Amino acid sequence: MPYNFTAVEKKWQQYWLANKSFRALDPAEAGGAPKSYVLDMFPYPSGEGLHVGHCEQQTATDILCRYLRMKGHNVLHPIGWDAFGLPAEQYAIKTNTHPRVTTERNIANFRRQIQSLGFGYDWDREVNTTDPNYYKWTQWIFLQLFNSYFDPIQERAMPIGHLINELQNENYVIAPDGSIHINPVQEGLDPITGDLRVERIWTELAPEEGREIIDGQRLAYQAEVPVNWCPGLGTVLSNEEVIDGKSEVGGFPVERRPMRQWMLRITAYADRLVNDLDLLQWPDSLKEMQRNWIGKSVGADVDFEVVPPGDDVKRVEANRRDTGDTTEPDEELTITVFTTRPDTLYGATYMVLAPEHPLVDRITPTSHRETIESYRTMIAGKSDRDRMAETKDKSGVFTGAHAINPVNDQKLPIYIADYVLMGYGTGAIMAVPAHDERDFDFAKKFNLPIRQVVRPSGMAVSAMQGPTEEVEAAFVGEGIAINSDVINDLPTAEAKERIISILEREGTGRRSVKYKLRDWLFSRQRYWGEPFPIVLDEAGNAYDIPESELPLKLPEIDDFKPTGTPEPPLSKAREWLRYERDGKVFTRETNTMPQWAGSCWYYLRYIDPHNDQRFVDPEKEQYWMPVDLYVGGVEHAVLHLLYARFWHKVLFDLGHVSTLEPFMRLVNQGLILGEMEYHTVEDPPRKVSEDEVEKRGENYVLKSDPTVKVKAESFKMSKSRGNVVNPDDIVRDYGADTFRLYEMYMGPLEAQKPWNTRDIVGMARFLNGVWRNLVGDEETNKVAKIEPIAIPETIDRQMHRTIKKVEEDIAGLRFNTAIAELIKLNNEMTKLAVISRELAENFTLMLAPFAPHIAEELWERLGHTKSLARRPWPTHEPAKLLETTLELPVQVNGKLRDKIAVPADADEETILTTAAAAPGAKPWIEGKTMRKRLYVPKKLVNFVVG
RNA sequence: GCCCCGGUGGCGGAACGGCAGACGCUUCGGACUUAAAAUCCGAUGCCCGCAAGGGCGUGCGGGUUCGAUUCCCGCCCGGGGCACCA
């Protein structure tokens, strides 16, 4: 080893820390320097320590940041800890250690590891989500949510006080479902047609009613919702944390039960969250995942009147009493369905309600009650998984009731079936078997009529089967409306518009948009999370605590064990629970916030981490935001990235931040898999080493017995598989610089790639070679000759090409090809007896972002006293890139036959003549007819002969 | 089932209309060494040939083009996401 990487790396790590080499400047000190905010998804400091995936992400951003600093940017590159969460709490329960203790210990280990890799973070800006000075502001943001509502007229969040004002002034009225609308009178509408009758005015409400209305509008609200309750863990779990009805951690049974929970009204932002994706430079696949998750569908709500029982089977008195039906027997009932294809309304041949639909009891005549009930019981016993597994085999039962199609007065039978979900749309559908696969399957099974109303454009009318004849399959595409009266002959898009306007005029339907996105369940029954800054009165009504009481610290308790009931651990903190205000006694909220809370806004705290007056100073926020590049794993594609965008938009609406979106450009680094594993495909499979395997044709086989096939696979790194690579080992054996180079050299940042320890040595050889070229080799007493001479022309050209290429590659995050270019230049330098000082310095500067320790050491040995961290990046001179001679390939009929060297300024005819005479090309041309002579400037020559 | 992404030597990968395989690893040969490691130099897609040279090659089949790994159409395989969302 020509150089001692351990000593060199330690020396410069200490230097950087002592000199705060990577401090980001506040706007006032920054002068005219452009700003760059480069962000890593901050790690959860687990007990396992840093893994190679963290290192890949952080090396990539570190290289970019070091480069940007050399380009004169004021760079913000911070790090922190997402430290609340279940693992620390589980560990605390098991070992009876306070989670704070393990968290602190893990953070110290992570910090040590990160510093041992030489990442240039601004350590003065470190944040920790479990620090009360941090979660004070998480709680503060929660209060902003609690004290705001989404104004449907302005389509943005506003302080709840604004709503109260507008209601008091009767500008807004309340619909029976609790939603807020502009007062039709204020709009200049006729109060009769404006339907003021069914809306309520603030002044008519009792105070208690008014409070309920207001609470029902808050962005943070309480609701009784069915949750995944896990008694074994003593907490609710998200859907993602439940597998086959058991908890992912521990495998405890999970039950669904309704519980009072805190919810955040993310659904109010669904439309903006979809639309604003267009502003972002994110991977398309990731945007697509967010779009799918939000699941926006545009269509119409259509009202179908249930046929009065007098015309059908009487709903008898006993039936109505048992089911709690308070309507008069002849009162009209309406089923509202949602459809994205209102143009197929004429093709509806039956209707389906979700089994849980509240109208089911009210429409079902006594004669059918028993079958309906037994079907519902059967459904209730099935898990969600079973329900999903039977996609093709539809089940359902007839309710005995009918409804009237508003467009043609047809009487449609009403079914209940589990393929219709209560949780989406209105929980009811009109079924159009001719144009929906699910309806088609159901209609086939229950022998229901199929009526075609859309003709594929391009298909002749005569080619269509008759409306009620046997149809092979549903046609779900767009086409031309047929058998549809008023919309006949219209293409699908126009037919939709036309039918919606007719429905709206008749009052039997309206344009409607639905989303799959549900409100965010925001509370957990855990100890190790942010306490809510909320107190509850005896009735369970929530009140915020004053800002002056923040942070509301977690109480000290020594028993973190689940209570075995939905009562969270904080309920054991007797003293802490009691809260008194104005002589009234309240109880503190004992749920805590989920782990996502702290990570929803940490990028803002980095900007101003020590501010105790505000969560971020507005001037600094405007300077640094938005984040220019955000790098992290794809596992956060929907949850963290959706939640953070939502919080950011609320903060934007309330005037606390200046940008619509937090993260302009985002890159997902690919997963690093474990080393390739080989096993035979015989029974039973046997693990073999790489050396025993060779490739024969398509397959890998055993060298010793080529009849035995071998399979090569790489797996995700995991403790159980024993293929985890510990960065500490690699740093100890090869050094941080080599490790960084290796991780970047493996392949494109975004690609998934397998780890291969064998390959690391290539990067170690590269750095040793650099050292030998620029310093020498103590073992062989070789001293490098660096002298202030001019750079020889060929290597000068290559140097300028390298400067250009490395610069472009870093900006495009193509670190693997940038490193290849540096290796090439170093290989050339190896051949030189004397190296020009200018070349040595430029090379060192270019190497610095990738291998900063060795670069700093070389820089110092080249006679510099100050760190190169802010030294200007070398510039390439375009004039130096120009070749004096061109080497051109000569093709005949597209096949390479020879190469020629011509002066760069030679004219086309000279080049073509020279090429035709080239010894490799000539025999292929002679005696043939020249059909075409092609010269692609500076690229190649191609002769077409025949 | 639907939607994305990918398939290039023994391996990781490069080129993304213009010399396929940059660069690294591996393997082989050579130098240094008593020897080994380390290091350095050379070779390393496959086939035919002593060689010069020639042929074949970017998952498969077609197409566009003077020219296709690259663009278009149809398949096959692998990875990821969604999954009765009306």
Side-chain angles (χ1 to χ4, degrees):
Chain A
M1 268 314 138
Y3 91 102
N4 181 343
F5 55 77
T6 310
V8 167
E9 289 176 358
K10 187 165 270 166
K11 169 181 165 186
W12 289 101
Q13 284 160 13
Q14 284 166 356
Y15 176 95
W16 294 326
L17 280 180
N19 290 281
K20 296 187 190 294
S21 300
F22 309 111
R23 199 169 70 86
L25 304 178
D26 280 332
E29 332 163 59
K35 72 93 184 178
S36 283
Y37 186 176
V38 179
L39 183 66
D40 290 296
M41 286 189 187
F42 65 163
Y44 173 77
S46 76
E48 329 272 275
L50 211 62
H51 59 73
V52 291
H54 290 126
C55 300
E56 183 193 20
Q57 170 197 323
Q58 297 180 355
T59 304
T61 53
D62 188 47
I63 291 168
L64 179 67
C65 289
R66 284 175 181 272
Y67 165 74
L68 289 172
R69 274 183 216 108
M70 293 171 82
K71 291 294 274 185
H73 286 228
N74 183 24
V75 176
L76 175 54
H77 190 211
I79 188 76
W81 318 107
D82 186 17
F84 275 127
L86 198 56
E89 183 167 315
Q90 294 293 310
Y91 188 79
I93 292 163
K94 223 164 44 187
T95 63
N96 220 16
T97 332
H98 196 288
R100 188 188 305 111
V101 175
T102 47
T103 301
E104 288 300 333
R105 193 162 60 211
N106 292 347
I107 287 176
N109 188 42
F110 265 66
R111 198 187 290 118
R112 173 192 66 76
Q113 289 187 298
I114 286 173
Q115 290 179 351
S116 81
L117 286 156
F119 296 137
Y121 291 115
D122 182 346
W123 289 99
D124 292 346
R125 294 174 186 260
E126 188 179 342
V127 302
N128 172 352
T129 56
T130 66
D131 180 349
N133 291 325
Y134 180 91
Y135 70 66
K136 168 182 179 176
W137 298 106
T138 310
Q139 292 169 331
W140 180 84
I141 295 172
F142 177 83
L143 290 183
Q144 304 308 303
L145 289 154
F146 180 75
N147 285 317
S148 308
Y149 78 109
F150 192 83
D151 188 292
I153 289 93
Q154 305 197 33
E155 294 187 336
R156 48 174 281 224
M158 304 207 54
I160 203 87
H162 178 262
L163 173 63
I164 296 169
N165 257 329
E166 296 290 48
L167 288 167
Q168 278 170 350
N169 298 335
E170 294 183 17
N171 292 330
Y172 289 178
V173 293
I174 306 131
D177 65 0
S179 60
I180 302 292
H181 301 268
I182 295 183
N183 189 336
V185 178
Q186 299 282 332
E187 284 272 273
L189 295 176
D190 185 329
I192 306 302
T193 55
D195 223 6
L196 192 56
R197 277 175 302 128
V198 297
E199 286 167 345
R200 311 172 74 191
I201 293 171
W202 181 254
T203 44
E204 292 170 352
L205 300 176
E208 189 58 17
E209 271 183 304
R211 202 196 46 75
E212 236 172 74
I213 296 285
I214 295 298
D215 281 353
Q217 291 291 321
R218 294 176 189 274
L219 292 181
Y221 64 99
Q222 297 185 88
E224 191 87 2
V225 289
V227 295
N228 302 306
W229 166 249
C230 176
L233 292 173
T235 184
V236 295
L237 297 171
S238 66
N239 289 332
E240 294 76 18
E241 291 166 318
V242 182
I243 296 167
D244 281 337
K246 302 252 171 73
S247 65
E248 191 186 12
V249 182
F252 300 107
V254 171
E255 48 196 70
R256 250 178 124 66
R257 62 148 86 180
M259 278 172 59
R260 183 193 65 89
Q261 296 292 318
W262 281 95
M263 308 289 288
L264 298 188
R265 202 178 303 279
I266 190 171
T267 50
Y269 281 82
D271 210 37
R272 279 168 59 184
L273 287 168
V274 173
N275 293 339
D276 291 351
L277 285 172
D278 294 340
L279 307 173
L280 305 176
Q281 297 167 50
W282 288 17
D284 287 338
S285 59
L286 201 147
K287 287 190 192 181
E288 198 55 30
M289 280 166 80
Q290 291 223 341
R291 279 194 199 98
N292 286 342
W293 189 266
I294 296 164
K296 180 180 181 175
S297 297
V298 179
D301 284 341
V302 186
D303 303 330
F304 287 67
E305 260 173 39
V306 179
V307 175
D311 298 351
D312 212 306
V313 187
K314 266 264 185 241
R315 280 178 291 161
V316 296
E317 203 52 41
N319 183 3
R320 295 179 54 242
R321 195 179 59 234
D322 291 355
T323 58
D325 188 349
T326 52
T327 55
E328 288 302 308
D330 54 350
E331 192 180 316
E332 286 174 359
L333 290 174
T334 302
I335 296 172
T336 303
V337 306
F338 173 70
T339 177
T340 54
R341 294 295 298 271
D343 60 305
T344 63
L345 206 38
Y346 287 89
T349 55
Y350 63 101
M351 298 185 71
V352 187
L353 301 184
E356 311 91 318
H357 198 289
L359 277 179
V360 174
D361 285 331
R362 299 168 66 178
I363 62 166
T364 306
T366 316
S367 54
H368 287 71
R369 279 190 67 194
E370 215 170 292
T371 43
I372 290 288
E373 276 319 311
S374 68
Y375 181 72
R376 284 173 143 183
T377 313
M378 197 261 286
I379 293 302
K382 277 205 259 181
S383 70
D384 285 358
R385 201 186 166 79
D386 292 340
R387 276 175 75 159
M388 274 192 277
E390 297 162 7
T391 307
K392 268 286 162 195
D393 190 26
K394 297 279 179 291
S395 72
V397 287
F398 178 47
T399 60
H402 292 82
I404 302 294
N405 187 337
V407 293
N408 59 7
D409 295 338
Q410 269 211 345
K411 209 166 114 179
L412 306 175
I414 305 170
Y415 283 71
I416 64 170
D418 68 348
Y419 82 91
V420 173
L421 310 172
M422 197 54 224
Y424 183 78
T426 59
I429 62 158
M430 62 171 198
V432 186
H435 305 291
D436 181 283
E437 274 171 29
R438 296 151 296 173
D439 298 346
F440 181 83
D441 293 340
F442 191 86
K444 280 283 178 194
K445 179 154 180 183
F446 291 89
N447 251 324
L448 291 156
I450 298 170
R451 188 181 152 85
Q452 295 188 94
V453 292
V454 183
R455 165 170 64 85
S457 37
M459 188 189 276
V461 183
S462 56
M464 296 285 291
Q465 292 136 307
T468 52
E469 272 176 34
E470 280 290 302
V471 178
E472 291 295 320
F475 169 65
V476 298
E478 306 213 329
I480 310 291
I482 54 167
N483 302 323
S484 294
D485 197 15
V486 291
I487 56 168
N488 272 337
D489 301 327
L490 290 178
T492 299
E494 274 177 55
K496 283 182 184 175
E497 288 304 313
R498 180 73 63 85
I499 200 82
I500 289 173
S501 61
I502 292 169
L503 291 168
E504 284 184 336
R505 198 173 58 226
E506 314 254 303
T508 51
R510 60 219 69 83
R511 190 175 303 280
S512 174
V513 179
K514 305 280 188 223
Y515 302 91
K516 280 198 276 187
L517 186 69
R518 300 279 83 106
D519 275 343
W520 176 10
L521 196 157
F522 193 68
S523 43
R524 299 289 184 273
Q525 294 70 50
R526 289 177 185 165
Y527 172 75
W528 195 230
E530 298 89 345
F532 283 83
I534 290 290
V535 293
L536 305 163
D537 67 14
E538 275 182 8
N541 298 314
Y543 303 86
D544 53 340
I545 64 170
E547 265 180 60
S548 58
E549 293 177 21
L550 300 182
L552 171 61
K553 291 189 187 172
L554 267 174
E556 292 303 323
I557 55 175
D558 19 69
D559 177 15
F560 317 105
K561 281 196 194 68
T563 56
T565 69
E567 211 42 45
L570 287 187
S571 61
K572 296 177 196 167
R574 298 266 163 196
E575 295 279 295
W576 181 83
L577 276 185
R578 197 186 138 86
Y579 185 85
E580 237 186 281
R581 185 157 68 196
D582 307 330
K584 268 181 77 182
V585 176
F586 299 86
T587 311
R588 286 195 193 277
E589 173 61 63
T590 53
N591 284 299
T592 53
M593 299 186 200
Q595 194 179 354
W596 310 109
S599 59
C600 268
W601 72 283
Y602 73 111
Y603 58 94
L604 291 167
R605 191 58 178 173
Y606 282 142
I607 289 169
D608 195 11
H610 307 295
N611 193 332
D612 56 5
Q613 298 302 308
R614 280 186 59 83
F615 77 116
V616 60
D617 176 77
E619 196 191 322
K620 293 178 185 172
E621 187 275 332
Q622 278 172 42
Y623 175 78
W624 286 112
M625 286 301 285
V627 172
D628 298 290
L629 177 68
Y630 195 20
V631 181
V634 74
E635 65 271 20
H636 295 119
V638 277
L639 299 168
H640 159 63
L641 286 173
L642 199 64
Y643 297 154
R645 292 180 65 215
F646 162 51
W647 277 36
H648 193 87
K649 285 181 184 303
V650 174
L651 291 171
F652 173 82
D653 286 352
L654 299 177
H656 297 305
V657 297
S658 60
T659 63
L660 274 172
E661 285 283 337
F663 318 120
M664 286 320 288
R665 182 173 169 216
L666 184 140
V667 170
N668 292 124
Q669 89 274 15
L671 202 62
I672 295 183
L673 302 171
E675 285 212 43
M676 198 72 94
E677 293 173 28
Y678 299 84
H679 61 85
T680 59
V681 291
E682 58 195 1
D683 192 35
R686 185 163 57 90
K687 251 186 113 162
V688 293
S689 82
E690 195 190 342
D691 302 335
E692 299 173 63
V693 176
E694 66 179 336
K695 202 169 187 181
R696 289 266 177 103
E698 302 274 282
N699 302 308
Y700 293 93
V701 294
L702 279 186
K703 278 178 183 168
S704 56
D705 179 3
T707 60
V708 180
K709 284 188 185 171
V710 172
K711 201 166 177 195
E713 280 176 290
S714 55
F715 302 89
K716 221 169 148 166
M717 285 190 190
S718 72
K719 239 177 162 179
S720 56
R721 200 166 261 284
N723 60 352
V724 177
V725 176
N726 184 346
D728 286 344
D729 297 339
I730 308 296
V731 169
R732 185 195 60 225
D733 295 344
Y734 298 93
D737 284 337
T738 295
F739 179 46
R740 293 165 55 115
L741 281 171
Y742 170 65
E743 287 223 343
M744 291 300 100
Y745 196 64
M746 288 171 80
L749 182 62
E750 293 96 325
Q752 197 173 93
K753 49 228 168 232
W755 179 269
N756 191 351
T757 300
R758 195 183 64 189
D759 288 347
I760 298 174
V761 69
M763 295 302 113
R765 284 178 192 153
F766 167 51
L767 291 184
N768 282 325
V770 169
W771 185 271
R772 248 193 314 273
N773 285 342
L774 300 186
V775 180
D777 193 342
E778 282 170 35
E779 283 174 39
T780 57
N781 282 324
K782 186 199 154 187
V783 179
K785 288 202 185 79
I786 312 287
E787 283 166 26
I789 55 165
I791 310 173
E793 194 190 321
T794 40
I795 196 155
D796 192 38
R797 187 177 305 122
Q798 190 179 351
M799 182 187 81
H800 284 278
R801 210 168 29 225
T802 305
I803 294 171
K804 182 164 185 271
K805 174 86 170 134
V806 171
E807 176 156 8
E808 288 167 354
D809 281 352
I810 293 178
L813 308 181
R814 295 181 297 269
F815 304 115
N816 53 335
T817 48
I819 293 168
E821 212 59 29
L822 290 170
I823 293 174
K824 271 204 297 208
L825 183 56
N826 183 56
N827 288 348
E828 289 308 312
M829 283 176 12
T830 305
K831 297 172 189 165
L832 302 174
V834 183
I835 292 172
S836 154
R837 190 177 177 79
E838 188 194 348
L839 173 59
E841 292 197 342
N842 281 347
F843 183 85
T844 304
L845 291 172
M846 285 192 279
L847 180 65
F850 302 89
H853 308 88
I854 191 174
E856 289 274 21
E857 184 68 21
L858 294 171
W859 191 246
E860 190 180 68
R861 285 168 187 251
L862 285 166
H864 298 275
T865 50
K866 271 179 73 183
S867 160
L868 52 61
R870 289 172 199 276
R871 193 73 196 192
W873 182 259
T875 45
H876 79 271
E877 294 169 39
K880 291 272 178 76
L881 294 176
L882 296 174
E883 306 269 357
T884 49
T885 38
L886 294 175
E887 197 179 63
L888 294 173
V890 181
Q891 296 183 342
V892 180
N893 287 345
K895 254 187 202 311
L896 180 70
R897 293 303 176 185
D898 206 342
K899 285 175 193 176
I900 54 165
V902 292
D905 54 0
D907 62 280
E908 184 171 340
E909 195 48 44
T910 315
I911 290 169
L912 285 169
T913 315
T914 317
K922 212 172 164 191
W924 299 93
I925 301 168
E926 269 171 349
K928 310 240 173 69
T929 316
M930 180 66 71
R931 300 201 189 280
K932 204 167 186 177
R933 303 193 306 158
L934 238 101
Y935 172 57
V936 184
K938 292 183 182 169
K939 291 283 187 194
L940 52 50
V941 176
N942 190 14
F943 296 115
V944 186
V945 297

